[in-house]
């Protein structure tokens, strides 16, 4: 196995010792004082060493690791660790271990600490990796969500959900370095399972500094009681491991709210959007379906010059165009083969024969699109299209960017603008109505509500599920002046 493949398969991001020590010191300041410590994926042992130096009252420290070379290395270092006789190491596979039997033998207050693998099930599948839990639909995804990838999960997420079971009827603390998005999923699972969580917190970690990785990460801390009655699990978020002031994430009106204080100030705008937010065109074939116009000539994404009728060509703005606020349209186009999902496409053959011939020439590539949504669909089908797609004015926002930048977009080349599927939008028949609504949803009170509901560390932080909670009809802000984009 190559070093790169091994790092992917085992999520091999070793924790620096100074970070492990910083984590243990923060836990000690919180009053964590365990009798027994378990590191279920100890790697080279930073947390084992740091815990031994911090928690002097712990009688036993157990480190488990799947890589025997790491265990041998750590064993050779233990002679330099104070009171190393408390430390026991074992080569074990997390997913094959009988954890119930292990924990039954360990008495007293428990601390489970570590840094589980930072890899997804899809990532393992791509390299043919086997460091996976047994197959089970533990997230209960089905239908379209499973088909489009939501069944993919982080291995650490599965591991920590298993660790939650270790605290049933037991006092102790779970402290794990993980992706911030994973931490929230684990907390949500604990809420659904009514785990006996006395308090919880997320402390953000500088991943670039400590791991040279471009992902939002944190220390997730959950403290468990033997018995506690908590209808809702709330938790604090701190900007780092040292700061003692943060903000509270909690549940309001059945929603997980990123900042309860700002949410509580703007709940009068909470409701149902007067118009459903839609996503842009999904075709999964940009080299075929998207075009750039240069000196009056169309070129597809593969750089091929094409000759198409204008009937099914529409101006296109990508998510980056919307987010960056470009005022000049870059003369991009997209083929819109249907006006509604499932609509037959045979009409193209008669209305635009050159377009039909072009699509036929690319039929093998279009038929090979991997997503299951295209199975049993009409020839050259697309998704994310409906009557709303053809209204001339729209308000758009890119879901991938970390700012609430709503853009007013008018027609271009005398046609309504289409977006890619990273963009969400609402559409209007008149410029006046679009301007009025744009003014309402960009008001401070409206954006404050949305901001309180958005978790900005997520890969696609802005979601239709959040946008559709803003009832802009409740806003009373006077209309402002906003310049349109278009020609």
């Amino acid at each position: 196995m190559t070093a790169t493949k091994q790092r992917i398969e085992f999520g091999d991001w070793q924790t620096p010792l100074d970070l492990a020590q910083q984590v243990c010191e923060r836990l000690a300041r919180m009053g964590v004082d365990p009798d027994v410590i378990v590191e279920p994926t100890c790697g080279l042992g930073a947390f084992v060493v740091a815990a031994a130096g911090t928690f002097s009252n712990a009688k036993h420290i157990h480190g488990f690791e799947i890589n025997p070379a790491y265990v041998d290395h750590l064993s050779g270092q233990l002679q330099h660790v104070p009171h190393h006789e408390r430390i026991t190491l074992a080569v074990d596979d997390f997913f094959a271990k009988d954890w119930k039997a292990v924990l039954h033998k360990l008495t007293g207050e428990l601390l489970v600490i570590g840094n589980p693998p930072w890899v997804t099930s899809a990532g393992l599948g791509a390299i043919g990796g086997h460091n996976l839990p047994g197959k089970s639909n533990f997230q209960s995804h089905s239908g379209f969500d499973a088909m489009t990838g939501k069944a993919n999960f982080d291995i650490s997420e599965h591991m920590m959900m298993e660790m939650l079971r270790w605290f049933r009827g037991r006092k102790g603390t779970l402290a794990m370095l993980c992706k911030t998005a994973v931490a929230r999923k684990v907390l949500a699972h604990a809420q659904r399972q009514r785990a006996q969580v006395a308090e919880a917190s997320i402390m953000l970690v500088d991943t670039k500094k400590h791991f040279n990785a471009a992902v939002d990460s944190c220390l997730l801390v959950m403290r468990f009681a033997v018995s506690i009655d908590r209808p809702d699990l709330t938790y604090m978020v701190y900007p780092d491991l040292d700061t003692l002031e943060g903000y509270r994430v909690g549940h309001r009106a059945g929603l997980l709210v990123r900042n309860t204080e700002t949410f509580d100030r703007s709940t009068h705008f909470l409701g149902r959007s007067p118009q459903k937010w839609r996503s842009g065109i999904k075709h999964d074939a940009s080299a075929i379906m998207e075009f750039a116009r240069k000196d009056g000539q169309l070129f597809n994404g593969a750089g091929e010059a094409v000759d198409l009728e204008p009937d099914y060509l529409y101006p296109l703005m990508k998510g980056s165009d919307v987010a960056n606020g470009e005022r000049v349209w870059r003369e991009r186009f997209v083929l819109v083969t249907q006006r509604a999902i499932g609509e037959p496409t045979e009409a193209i053959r008669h209305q635009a024969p050159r377009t039909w011939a072009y699509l036929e020439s690319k039929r093998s590539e279009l038929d090979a699109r991997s997503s299951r949504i295209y199975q049993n669909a009409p020839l050259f089908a697309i998704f994310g299209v409906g009557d709303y797609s053809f209204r001339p004015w729209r308000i758009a926002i890119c879901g991938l960017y970390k700012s609430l930048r709503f853009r007013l977009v008018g027609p271009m080349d005398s046609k309504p603008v289409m977006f890619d599927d990273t963009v969400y939008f609402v559409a209007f028949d008149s410029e006046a109505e679009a301007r009025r609504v744009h003014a309402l949803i960009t008001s401070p009170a409206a954006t404050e509500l949305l901001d309180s509901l958005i978790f900005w560390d997520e890969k696609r932080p802005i979601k239709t599920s959040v946008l559709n909670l803003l009832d802009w009809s409740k806003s009373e802000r006077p209309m402002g002046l906003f310049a349109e984009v278009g020609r």
Side-chain angles (χ1 to χ4, degrees), residues 154-424:
D154 283 82
I155 302 304
S156 60
E157 178 186 348
H158 192 285
M159 287 179 163
M160 285 189 278
M161 288 182 182
E162 165 63 27
M163 294 174 202
L164 292 181
R165 300 187 183 97
W166 303 353
F167 292 94
R168 288 176 179 170
R170 181 167 194 163
K171 184 179 180 182
T173 302
L174 176 68
M176 289 283 147
L177 289 175
C178 60
K179 298 176 186 177
T180 310
V182 169
R184 283 201 305 277
K185 291 178 182 178
V186 173
L187 288 163
H189 182 77
Q191 165 76 13
R192 291 192 297 270
Q193 298 298 314
R194 300 188 69 82
Q196 303 299 300
V197 182
E199 61 177 289
S201 57
I202 284 176
M203 303 170 195
L204 303 183
V205 172
D206 187 339
T207 320
K208 183 65 176 177
K209 172 184 175 182
H210 294 294
F211 299 100
N212 194 29
V215 63
D216 292 298
S217 69
C218 69
L219 174 69
L220 169 64
V221 180
M222 302 173 71
R223 304 191 70 180
F224 297 85
V226 174
S227 178
I228 189 170
D229 182 20
R230 292 177 65 95
D232 290 314
L233 173 59
T234 65
Y235 57 92
M236 293 296 296
V237 176
Y238 300 96
D240 51 53
L241 290 168
D242 297 317
T243 304
L244 300 179
E245 294 183 0
Y247 61 85
R248 183 167 295 280
V249 175
H251 292 81
R252 296 287 191 275
L255 303 169
L256 181 62
V257 177
R258 184 180 65 84
N259 190 321
T260 56
E261 182 178 341
T262 56
F263 177 86
D264 290 342
R265 289 200 301 264
S266 52
T267 52
H268 48 292
F269 296 112
L270 186 67
R272 178 180 295 179
S273 174
Q275 184 183 146
K276 184 178 180 180
W277 287 81
R278 308 282 187 170
S279 61
I281 299 290
K282 178 176 177 62
H283 50 62
D284 294 303
S286 58
I288 297 170
M289 305 293 281
E290 296 180 9
F291 310 87
R293 186 169 62 192
K294 300 176 183 178
D295 300 323
Q297 174 69 60
L298 282 179
F299 296 86
N300 65 14
E304 301 168 338
V306 298
D307 180 19
L308 307 176
E309 298 91 346
D311 304 55
Y312 294 89
L313 281 173
Y314 287 82
L316 172 67
M317 290 183 68
K318 308 284 278 187
S320 57
D321 298 326
V322 172
N324 295 329
E326 295 291 341
R327 295 192 58 82
V328 178
W329 173 47
R330 293 192 288 168
E331 297 201 55
R332 291 186 176 185
F333 296 85
V334 63
L335 264 180
V336 181
T337 56
Q338 298 163 292
R339 296 185 72 90
I341 293 175
E343 179 185 64
T345 56
E346 283 290 325
I348 302 174
R349 184 197 300 268
H350 308 291
Q351 295 178 10
R354 296 196 305 277
T355 299
W356 182 262
Y358 170 75
L359 290 169
E360 280 282 10
S361 73
K362 306 295 184 181
R363 182 169 177 174
S364 60
E365 295 100 315
L366 292 171
D367 286 348
R369 288 177 291 182
S370 59
S371 177
R372 289 169 58 191
I373 62 174
Y374 299 107
Q375 294 180 9
N376 303 316
L379 283 175
F380 320 130
I382 59 176
F383 283 80
V385 65
D387 60 351
Y388 51 86
S389 304
F390 302 93
R391 297 173 192 154
W393 285 86
R394 59 273 324 277
I395 299 166
I397 189 168
C398 182
L400 299 177
Y401 286 71
K402 299 186 178 185
S403 63
L404 282 170
R405 189 166 196 168
F406 293 95
R407 188 171 180 192
L408 186 66
V409 180
M412 299 176 184
D413 264 19
S414 302
K415 282 187 172 182
V417 174
M418 302 295 164
F419 304 108
D420 66 21
D421 62 355
T422 68
V423 173
Y424 304 122

